[in-house]
Amino acid sequence: MTGNRRPTIKTVAARAGVGRTTVSRVVNGSDLVSAEVRTRVLEAIKELNYVPNSVARGLVTNRTDAVALVIPESESRLGSEPFFAALIRGVSGALTETRTQLQLMLVRDQAERDQLTESVATRRVDGVLLVSVHADDRLPGMLEEMGLPTVLAGRRDAGEQLSYVDSDNAGGALVAVRHLLHRGRRRIATITGPHDMDVGRSRLAGWRDAHAEAGLTADELLVETGDFTEESGSRAMCSLLERAPDLDAVFAASDLMAVGALAELRRRGRRVPEDVAVVGFEDSVLARHTNPPLTTVRQPVEELGRTMVRILTDITRNGAPRRQVTLPTELVVRESS
């Protein structure tokens, strides 16, 4: 390359002996290019020190190379729940590999919802990764109506039509309660997530399924609802002990709620696991540092985030159809049970 002129897609195409469209496809990661041609183009890019112009690329491809991770929760919730930190790590790591920018958007009120709507309407992002989905949440339907590719973390219900990545919530809960039953526990309470979230309903279903599998009747008196926070776990444990002081185990639908339950049991002088065994769900970093260390169901949160990105990238770049993926869970047994 002579002079100070910046190389263009045209000069790269000439050096590689291909058309500009082919160079564009290589730059944008399209699969519609042979390995041999891709190698020639990448060598030309390296030789010429060509840097793609993202603005020009966006005009040609109608893409912004940016996606929004939308979390309809408060900053305090975002900072206190390990789930969100792990998910963001998975998402950001996967996006780095695709040279795509991440826009983190908290939607806590109507003003922020309007801001999201404006970003979608003006196509400032290529797609949306949506977390904390409730049954009555209008955001998924709104995004679908606007034609913006969307991938959910979890699902609204069993009939979800949008792309989503979820953990095996019912199966994980089943294994957790089966473990408690095998340890001889018979009065097993559960602290569920919100019933307007599929994750809450599914983990409750797993608790019921484990009882049915063992030929036992699930006592609905032993069910208390939380919201995945430590405080709600403590309140739920208090209510359960008032109603059923003879309970000998509790399955909490999140590690944070299990932490709250452990604190309440300690205040009541109940020994864990001698008097009451406790199992959580997630296998967050908290689980290894509770007293005693917490038995929990491991869900691959970072992999969930990475898989969401892969699905969204396939849709936005390759026109792939919607996909729905359920990731396996695993019981991690520690001293609390």
Side-chain angles (χ1 to χ4, degrees):
M1 190 71 187
T2 59
N4 296 319
R5 292 180 61 190
R6 180 178 176 180
T8 67
I9 194 169
K10 184 177 179 180
T11 53
V12 172
R15 175 67 65 91
V18 299
R20 283 179 290 181
T21 300
T22 300
V23 176
S24 177
R25 285 173 175 166
V26 171
V27 168
N28 290 293
S30 171
D31 294 329
L32 302 175
V33 181
S34 70
E36 186 267 332
V37 170
R38 184 185 305 278
T39 299
R40 291 211 321 264
V41 172
L42 291 176
E43 287 176 351
I45 288 173
K46 184 177 180 181
E47 291 169 4
L48 296 169
N49 197 26
Y50 170 67
V51 179
N53 185 319
S54 60
V55 174
R57 187 168 69 238
L59 292 173
V60 173
T61 64
N62 198 30
R63 291 213 317 267
T64 63
D65 288 331
V67 301
L69 175 59
V70 179
I71 304 177
E73 301 287 356
S74 65
E75 298 102 322
S76 60
R77 191 78 176 264
L78 187 67
S80 65
E81 294 194 24
F83 173 86
F84 294 121
L87 185 76
I88 292 170
R89 281 196 303 272
V91 167
S92 61
L95 286 176
T96 298
E97 298 171 5
T98 66
R99 294 185 299 181
T100 301
Q101 292 184 324
L102 174 63
Q103 296 183 16
L104 178 61
M105 303 182 70
L106 302 185
V107 180
R108 296 155 294 188
D109 53 32
Q110 189 58 47
E112 289 175 341
R113 186 179 292 268
D114 292 342
Q115 182 182 357
L116 172 62
T117 303
E118 181 184 353
S119 292
V120 172
T122 56
R123 284 298 192 270
R124 289 204 287 265
V125 294
D126 296 325
V128 168
L129 305 169
L130 183 57
V131 185
S132 288
V133 182
H134 294 257
D136 60 351
D137 193 340
R138 295 176 301 179
L139 275 177
M142 180 196 79
L143 295 169
E144 185 175 28
E145 289 173 6
M146 300 181 82
L148 192 72
T150 301
V151 180
L152 309 180
R155 58 185 187 177
R156 287 170 289 182
D157 53 49
E160 182 62 70
Q161 297 299 305
L162 294 179
S163 294
Y164 68 79
V165 184
D166 204 358
S167 297
D168 183 7
N169 294 302
L174 169 70
V175 170
V177 179
R178 182 191 289 158
H179 163 74
L180 291 169
L181 289 166
H182 286 174
R183 292 296 173 96
R185 309 292 171 153
R186 287 299 177 268
R187 293 284 285 164
I188 303 172
T190 184
I191 303 173
T192 79
H195 291 264
D196 68 339
M197 299 182 73
D198 182 79
V199 60
R201 297 191 301 271
S202 293
R203 292 177 188 177
L204 175 58
W207 174 82
R208 291 185 176 127
D209 290 345
H211 284 83
E213 178 185 81
L216 301 172
T217 300
D219 186 352
E220 297 299 321
L221 197 67
L222 295 174
V223 178
E224 189 64 34
T225 303
D227 62 5
F228 295 128
T229 63
E230 181 178 349
E231 295 76 17
S232 73
S234 180
R235 289 194 301 269
M237 192 73 254
C238 180
S239 298
L240 286 166
L241 289 170
E242 292 294 331
R243 290 204 304 268
D246 61 336
L247 64 84
D248 59 8
V250 59
F251 164 60
S254 78
D255 286 352
L256 264 181
M257 293 196 297
V259 168
L262 285 170
E264 184 61 27
L265 288 167
R266 193 159 44 246
R267 280 193 289 270
R268 300 289 187 108
R270 301 292 185 97
R271 297 170 302 163
V272 177
E274 292 86 353
D275 300 327
V276 180
V278 179
V279 177
F281 203 114
E282 189 178 333
D283 194 29
S284 64
V285 66
L286 294 172
R288 296 185 290 277
H289 300 289
T290 56
N291 183 22
L294 182 66
T295 294
T296 183
V297 177
R298 176 179 295 152
Q299 62 171 345
V301 181
E302 288 193 36
E303 179 58 26
L304 190 150
R306 288 191 291 268
T307 305
M308 290 175 71
V309 169
R310 286 194 289 267
I311 292 174
L312 187 62
T313 301
D314 275 349
I315 294 172
T316 58
R317 295 193 174 183
N318 304 318
R322 293 175 180 174
R323 287 180 58 201
Q324 300 177 336
V325 176
T326 300
L327 301 177
T329 54
E330 174 189 3
L331 183 69
V332 180
V333 179
R334 298 192 180 96
E335 286 87 335
S336 70
S337 63

